[in-house]
């Protein structure tokens, strides 16, 4: 997690692979509320900063996100939720990183 007064980022060590050469590291923005909840989860589950936050396969994350998006669309009647994808979540392989690793 990269912190500043204004934002947090979640480091994804190996992002989406679009070239066949392995995914590049990337940082996903986290709102303060999500960072707070994620930090609480890490503490409650005793997850080390260097460990994956969610220890499941990328395909499992895709299924979970798709199921949640479908349910949200069905319950709200807002079909925009059907466009949500796991690519935007960047949670599957996220780890906390210090600020100086961002540069």
């Amino acid at each position: 997690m990269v912190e500043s007064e204004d934002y947090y980022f979640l480091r994804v060590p190996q992002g989406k692979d679009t070239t066949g050469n392995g995914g590049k590291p990337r940082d996903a923005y986290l709102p303060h509320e999500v960072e707070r909840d994620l930090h609480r989860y890490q503490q409650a589950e005793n997850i080390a900063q260097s460990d994956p936050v969610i220890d499941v396969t990328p395909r499992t994350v895709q299924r979970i996100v798709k199921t949640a998006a479908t349910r949200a669309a069905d319950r709200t009647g807002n079909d925009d939720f059907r466009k949500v994808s796991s690519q935007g979540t960047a949670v599957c392989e996220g780890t906390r990183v210090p600020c100086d690793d961002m540069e």
Side-chain angles (χ1 to χ4, degrees), residues 1 8 29-40 91:
M1 195 93 48
Y8 294 89
Y29 167 77
L30 292 178
H32 287 284
E33 297 81 14
V34 174
E35 186 280 334
R36 182 189 67 230
D37 291 344
L38 184 57
H39 187 69
R40 286 181 184 165
V91 176

Side-chain angles (χ1 to χ4, degrees), residues 10-11 40 62 65 67:
L10 184 70
R11 170 63 47 94
R40 286 181 184 165
Q62 290 172 346
V65 170
T67 298

